[in-house]
Every structure is written in C-alpha cells, then in structure tokens.
Amino acid sequence: MKKLSNQTRPLLLDYHFFRFLIVGFANTVVGLLIIYSCKWLFNMGDIISNFVGYSAGMILGFILNKHWTFKYKGENTLVFVRYIVVLITAYLINLATVIYTINYLSLNSYVAQALGVVPYTLISYLGSHFFVFHKSTVGSMK
C-alpha cells in the first residue's frame, strides 16, 4: 500500500488534524469544566462563564498546538497574534451559536454551551492549519 505524503493527504487525514483533535478534546474538557464551574459554583452568567472558559482553553491550546501539534520553532509574536485573531473569530461565532440556541431555540444553556464547541473547533483548526501554523512558518515534524 502506497503511503501518502503530507502534501497529498486529504486535510482530515493529516497528522496535524489528529493531534489538533486531541488538543481540542483537552481544551473542550478544560473549557467546559471551567464554564460549568463558573455558572454553578460562582453563579456567573453564560457570557462571562463562556469567556473565562474559552480564555483558559485558548492559552492551553496555544501551548499544546505550538509545541506538539504543529511543532512550531520560529518567532512567537506573529504566530501568537495570528492565533488570537483566529480564536477571537472562532469565539465570536461560538458565542453567537450559544446565544442563538438559548434565545431562539430555547435550549438549556448547558447544552447550548456544548453545541457552541462545534463551530469553534472547526474554525480554530482551519485557521490554525492555514493561517497560524502554515507549513511555510512551522518546523518539520519528527
């Protein structure tokens, strides 16, 4: 069986995608635990809880994606700025999803928070893959 190179592999079969999913799973667990804890333990509203949870996930995700998923070895400032731009975009779409599902679909806010993870994950992966850690700016995989 012929092995596909990284250039010929479909995007969803790329090893970066699988590593990104693992990092994303960790981010999701940590983020949702923080969101739910803020809501339940500290009686915070959905928007503030969402912001706190996704901020923690953003920091964890940058560190793990930089060092493990994409093995980035170059200058950090531009990559971090790009990462923030992608995640802010993903976060705003996530927040719109959460607000829409609560206000217009009348879903439970905990379910809405979980549903908001889907667009956030897709946008953050595509942005990380094509814009933040693009092959022209990353170190080689070992």
Side-chain angles (χ1 to χ4, degrees):
M1 183 170 178
K2 184 178 175 184
K3 184 177 178 181
L4 295 174
S5 71
N6 287 341
Q7 289 77 26
T8 60
R9 278 188 195 130
L11 183 61
L12 296 181
L13 294 179
D14 186 87
Y15 53 81
H16 292 122
F17 180 70
F18 292 109
R19 288 182 179 207
F20 190 86
L21 287 178
I22 293 167
V23 170
F25 179 76
N27 286 355
T28 299
V29 170
V30 168
L32 285 175
L33 284 174
I34 291 172
I35 289 168
Y36 294 166
S37 295
C38 286
K39 287 174 58 59
W40 189 60
L41 296 175
F42 303 108
N43 203 28
M44 292 181 180
D46 287 301
I47 294 172
I48 293 172
S49 297
N50 189 279
F51 179 78
V52 171
Y54 276 95
S55 295
M58 177 189 67
I59 293 165
L60 176 65
F62 180 76
I63 292 167
L64 293 176
N65 282 316
K66 176 183 177 253
H67 293 291
W68 186 63
T69 304
F70 298 101
K71 295 198 177 189
Y72 177 76
K73 297 187 185 323
E75 196 274 321
N76 289 322
T77 305
L78 178 60
V79 169
F80 187 71
V81 169
R82 287 180 175 188
Y83 189 77
I84 297 298
V85 167
V86 167
L87 292 191
I88 287 172
T89 302
Y91 173 76
L92 291 173
I93 293 170
N94 160 271
L95 189 58
T97 301
V98 170
I99 291 169
Y100 179 81
T101 56
I102 290 170
N103 292 333
Y104 295 101
L105 300 179
S106 300
L107 292 179
N108 175 284
S109 67
Y110 290 92
V111 173
Q113 294 287 354
L115 290 175
V117 169
V118 175
Y120 180 89
T121 301
L122 292 173
I123 291 164
S124 62
Y125 173 69
L126 293 172
S128 292
H129 184 79
F130 290 110
F131 180 64
V132 178
F133 301 107
H134 191 264
K135 64 184 176 185
S136 65
T137 62
V138 297
S140 62
M141 295 292 293
K142 295 181 180 170

